Amino acid sequence: MESRFALQTLFSCEGRVALVTGGATGIGAACAEALGAAGAAVGIGGLQGGTGSETPVSPGAAAQRLRTSGIRAFGVDADVTDSDQLADAVACVERELGPIDTVVAVAGSSLDGVRDDRLVDLDQMYALNVRSVVELSDLVLPGMARSGGGAFIVMSSLAGLRGNTELADYGVTKAANAQVARNIAVKWGSAGIRANAVSPGVIETEFSRPITEDPDRSVIRRGKTPLGRFGIPAEVAGAVVWLASPSGAFTSGQNIVIDGGTLVND
């Protein structure tokens, strides 16, 4: 008889249907792959990911890559800030894979300093980083509750937990989306739904290249990180699998910081 503490039991997502927004590249792609490797069917929703030196990848192409690894996956193009496209994406994933019981809301961006009009940038970041998460929760949580519960995971950021200069307004929106997770945990807990935020520090992705590939800035940031290095996407994805799996069944309303100790450094 297999022990209830066996890793394949504690961290299994077998039978789950997960929707990962922003799951084509970076942290989102790592989360989608990790959930699939743990047994979940994975829907990837969002726009084509990849900028700069990173090769653009569509949700469909990302899903195809997972299917070649034996993971049941489906990708759908959707601007998560567009209400109709977001609703269609949810409907498409459920039609192809079944009722969604796990959500990882990764889609997000920083627009700090992109335009001269700071408030326009702030409004767009709020629509992407906060409003789309609220709207997604409204779309999936009632069905999740009817099915007996599930997990709703919001990708927040270390920037939402401390003051910032370059990522000031991005940090405001990330503080807000972590609060969305806490609110969901309180409102929907009685229906068996767990909600948590995950706040990465500097992770080696396209998003963080301005830090990780700048010799001076990278030295400074690593010096402020007790572990002395940057994280990798798999280290964030591992926490997501934990929160989605039976091992995370009594964890809700939390903000899990994955930053190598940066936040607590003196």
Side-chain angles (χ1 to χ4, degrees):
M1 181 178 177
E2 186 177 271
S3 169
R4 60 195 172 99
F5 295 113
L7 291 180
Q8 57 266 39
T9 300
L10 278 175
F11 293 95
S12 173
C13 293
E14 193 71 37
R16 301 277 185 143
V17 175
L19 169 61
V20 182
T21 67
T25 58
I27 290 174
C31 292
E33 183 173 356
L35 287 167
V42 181
I44 298 173
L47 298 176
Q48 179 170 273
T51 58
S53 61
E54 190 174 37
T55 303
V57 180
S58 70
Q64 175 59 35
R65 183 176 62 83
L66 295 185
R67 288 195 292 271
T68 62
S69 299
I71 295 169
R72 189 171 170 229
F74 176 76
V76 56
D77 292 338
D79 178 352
V80 298
T81 67
D82 182 294
S83 298
D84 291 337
Q85 290 188 41
L86 184 59
D88 287 346
V90 170
C92 286
V93 169
E94 294 202 319
R95 184 169 59 248
E96 291 291 328
L97 302 179
I100 294 167
D101 56 23
T102 303
V103 169
V104 189
V106 182
S109 183
S110 169
L111 299 174
D112 283 276
V114 171
R115 300 180 183 84
D116 291 333
D117 192 332
R118 176 187 178 187
L119 295 181
V120 171
D121 291 340
L122 178 59
D123 285 344
Q124 290 196 1
M125 282 189 287
Y126 185 86
L128 178 57
N129 299 343
V130 185
R131 188 182 184 279
S132 73
V133 178
V134 174
E135 191 162 12
L136 179 58
S137 72
D138 288 344
L139 289 168
V140 301
L141 293 180
M144 202 181 286
R146 287 192 297 271
S147 298
F152 196 100
I153 301 163
V154 179
M155 197 58 61
S156 191
S157 172
L158 179 63
L161 291 167
R162 61 183 194 173
N164 300 272
T165 51
E166 295 182 13
L167 296 176
D169 293 330
Y170 172 77
V172 169
T173 64
K174 288 299 186 175
N177 79 0
Q179 182 63 30
V180 171
R182 287 187 286 266
N183 291 346
I184 292 171
V186 172
K187 181 176 180 180
W188 292 91
S190 61
I193 293 171
R194 314 183 304 280
N196 294 282
V198 175
S199 288
V202 179
I203 307 298
E204 292 184 349
T205 63
E206 180 70 26
F207 179 83
S208 297
R209 285 185 191 275
I211 295 174
T212 61
E213 295 193 350
D214 182 296
D216 296 329
R217 295 179 70 189
S218 64
V219 168
I220 292 171
R221 180 50 67 93
R222 285 197 300 269
K224 294 179 178 179
T225 303
L227 288 184
R229 64 175 178 85
F230 302 129
I232 59 173
E235 292 166 330
V236 181
V240 167
V241 171
W242 159 50
L243 292 171
S245 70
S247 58
F250 200 56
T251 303
S252 194
Q254 304 305 306
N255 191 346
I256 309 301
V257 181
I258 303 174
D259 70 344
T262 305
L263 182 63
V264 299
N265 199 13
D266 58 16

